[in-house]
Every structure is written in C-alpha cells, then in structure tokens.
Amino acid sequence: CGITDLQCDLVFNFSLPSLRDLDLSNNLITDAGVADLLRSDLPRQLTRLILGGNAISDEGALLLADGWPAGDGDRLEDLNLRFTNIGQAGQSALLRRFGGRVGLSRGDLAPRP
C-alpha cells in the first residue's frame, strides 16, 4: 500500500477497538512508525502484528521490546519482523521480550559488519 510513517501517525490516532490482527508488511514504515504505533491503543488489543518488509532497525526493535504492554495488557501472540533492518542487538531484545512469539528472518540472524 505504500504506507509511510506519516500515514501511521494519522491512522493510529483513531480508535479501532475491534482490530486484533494488523498486517503492515512491505511498506515504508521506519522506527518512527513503530513509535507512533506504541503511542496508540493498538498494543493493548492486537493479537497479531506483521511489520516485516519495512525499514525498521534496532531502534524500532528496542522501542517495541521496551514499550509493548506487559502482563494483562499484552495480548500479542504473533509478531512478524522478517526482512527488516534489525541487527543482533534488536533481535536479542525482541527475543528476550517476546520469546517464540516473534518471527525474525534467518538472514537477519547473521552478524552485521
């Protein structure tokens, strides 16, 4: 769809109480879009979030790991971050926070120069 961080900022300002499954794969979303998502109500209601194929880096991964709700506020069952720019530091934080609920592409597991 060509969704950018600007559209994320606009859309995430609306209340979408029935939304549980959000696929934003293969768009133009960066770490700023991740920050916008975390400022919305969506993290407390989503069970599935697909952000793979976007230009999200370690910064966005750390934002997700630190900013996603915990305890009863965390309903997430599946987080797809395949084919992003997330390096080892971001992957480690995501795996510590989400465990087997996060999907990272095998190519992302290789050390980065």
Side-chain angles (χ1 to χ4, degrees):
C1 297
I3 295 172
T4 66
D5 295 333
L6 178 60
Q7 281 105 8
C8 287
D9 183 42
L10 295 171
V11 171
F12 296 154
N13 284 316
F14 292 94
S15 177
L16 304 165
S18 297
L19 186 64
R20 299 289 180 260
D21 188 336
L22 181 60
D23 184 345
L24 293 172
S25 59
N26 300 311
N27 281 288
L28 304 171
I29 298 169
T30 68
D31 302 328
V34 171
D36 291 336
L37 170 70
L38 290 170
R39 284 191 292 272
S40 74
D41 293 333
L42 291 174
R44 294 194 165 279
Q45 66 193 58
L46 291 177
T47 58
R48 184 170 184 238
L49 175 60
I50 303 172
L51 292 173
N54 285 289
I56 298 168
S57 71
D58 282 346
E59 181 183 345
L62 294 173
L63 286 170
L64 280 168
D66 293 339
W68 199 264
D72 291 340
D74 182 5
R75 293 178 170 81
L76 195 65
E77 298 170 6
D78 181 32
L79 172 61
N80 178 321
L81 290 165
R82 291 176 174 89
F83 308 108
T84 61
N85 297 325
I86 298 172
Q88 288 183 331
Q91 291 174 24
S92 294
L94 290 166
L95 289 169
R96 273 191 309 276
R97 173 61 179 86
F98 297 105
R101 298 183 292 165
V102 64
L104 299 162
S105 63
R106 196 161 287 283
D108 286 342
L109 298 175
R112 300 205 181 225

